[in-house]
Amino acid sequence: MAGKVYLVGAGPGHAKLITVKGLECLQKADVVVYDRLAAPQLLGAVKPGTRKIYVGKLPDRHTMKQEEINQLLVDLAKEGQTVVRLKGGDPTIFGRVGEEAGLLKKNGIPYEIVPGVTAAISVPAYAGIPVTHREMASSLSIITGHESPDKLDRMIDWERVTHATGTLVFMMGVSKIGYIADQLMRHGRPGTTPVALVRWGTRAEQETLTGTLADIEQRVREAGFQPPAVIVVGDVVLQREQLKWAEFLPLFGKRILVTRARSQASRLSERIDELGGESYEFPVIETAYPDDPKRLDEIRDALSRLGSYDWVFFTSVNGVEYFYRHLQEQGRDIRELHRAQIAAVGPATADALKQRGLVPVELPGRFQAEGLIETLGSRLQPGERVLLPRGDLARAWLPGKLAEMGLEVTAIDTYQTVMSQDEDGELLKLLEEGAIHVVTFTSSSTVTNLIAKLKQMGAQDPVRLLNKAEAACIGEITAKTAAEAGLRVSVVAEQATIDGLLESLCSYLNASHEQAQ
């Protein structure tokens, strides 16, 4: 039985600008056939085991002819696969979707065309240029600029195009910008007509160059401006100085690697995106249920004595979540802790407890184990019994300090931290090119696991690769681990929280920008 092919527009570059329908198609695909202009992060949305086939075209070479791509889609579908053909922008705008759909139709293959957000409109918008404006332009033309001058002349009626609409948008025409400008002026557009070129719009590499038809070729040459870019011609370009917004966001132009566990990465990624950066998720750790029978016996024994504890210290959100999971599996009632006082390290851990109806005694000023002792030290009495649910990689400092103070400590490893099994060849390429600008570390295990993972993926010198970026650490302990590994740590959060990490990062980047000026 034949499978089905979804011809999906990936949007202009930013991973979140794909449509909901497009993302749903990706998540159920058996095979993804993608090109250079699709956001690499989107490939992380596919289910485990999904094949990824790159067929993109580079400026200096073609990796696969269009006819071969068309046939590939047919062949994959005939194998019974659910196939997503992921294309930059919208597949119906210079995306050759008609050729692909035509061959699918001819071979009786079911398919759907899933529209995408076209770069012709979204890329100018990210540069602060609305392609229409009530007082400047009420119509729009989208024109290919990718072909040779002779081919452009055959395809484009310059007389009509020049005067057809208020705004002209040329796709992929950077190398032909001089010819395009000359033709428009020759057919009646004034040399003073504003022009903007927006390169890699919506992505971290976004760059905008403005000029007029008369001088834009020279400006492009002097700036060394390279494709891919969208060209906007018309008075709407003048709106940029008033409406540009992306460049003013504190993390604009920064691609930031998120290494924490996938279950926890979304909060950090969302904040990066809100601040104008481009998050790139590559989780290097995963939390898992303990698989050691001895540890499970220790947990069962500790939870059988819930009524005997004077204190329960939670040091992480994971510690809270797995503690409750063990309670549920053993049929225990949280009310057995009626005599215990609850303490939490950090506001996120406290929030996780509050969501379950437990309010911790108070938060430490420092969001690590030392802060807990600083805050509660005078209230802890020798002989009191403490339950400490945590992960297997937790530091020995806290139980050791509590024992030194005369308390009886029961520490249980309610979860284990393991290295993620994911691999990402695109990440190696981005690191080598210096296209990852900041690497975030939220625990010591993210440091050690990222280095190990890069080695596993083939990197000869992971530390050299990572030192092409700035390292931002959530706290002093994580920063110490990174420094000992040979990494150049630029940012250490003043408060060991996600918001604290990003606040410190923004301050550092702002200071660096001011110093550079």
Side-chain angles (χ1 to χ4, degrees), residues 1 159 258 262 310 313 316 371 396 403 413 443 446 467 475 498 507:
M1 181 178 177
E159 180 67 34
V258 177
R262 194 175 302 280
D310 300 291
F313 291 164
S316 70
D413 296 339
S443 66
T446 59
N467 277 336
I498 293 303
S507 297

Side-chain angles (χ1 to χ4, degrees), residues 30-34 43-44 46-47 49-54 423:
D30 299 314
V31 185
V32 178
V33 179
Y34 68 103
L43 299 178
V46 302
K47 63 188 180 185
T50 298
R51 287 178 62 193
K52 304 169 188 175
I53 303 175
Y54 176 72
E423 293 198 0

Side-chain angles (χ1 to χ4, degrees), residues 281-345:
E281 291 187 9
F282 182 64
V284 296
I285 60 172
E286 295 175 353
T287 58
Y289 196 77
D291 56 10
D292 184 344
K294 182 180 177 182
R295 284 184 177 173
L296 291 172
D297 287 340
E298 291 172 352
I299 294 170
R300 277 189 287 269
D301 178 63
L303 297 188
S304 70
R305 297 178 279 113
L306 288 177
S308 67
Y309 299 110
D310 300 291
W311 292 91
V312 182
F313 291 164
F314 291 97
T315 58
S316 70
V317 173
N318 285 328
V320 174
E321 293 177 349
Y322 278 91
F323 175 77
Y324 270 85
R325 180 172 169 180
H326 287 290
L327 280 183
Q328 182 178 10
E329 292 183 355
Q330 294 183 32
R332 294 286 175 183
D333 191 324
I334 191 65
R335 287 174 293 185
E336 293 181 52
L337 282 174
H338 61 89
R339 62 172 287 184
Q341 298 186 77
I342 310 296
V345 175

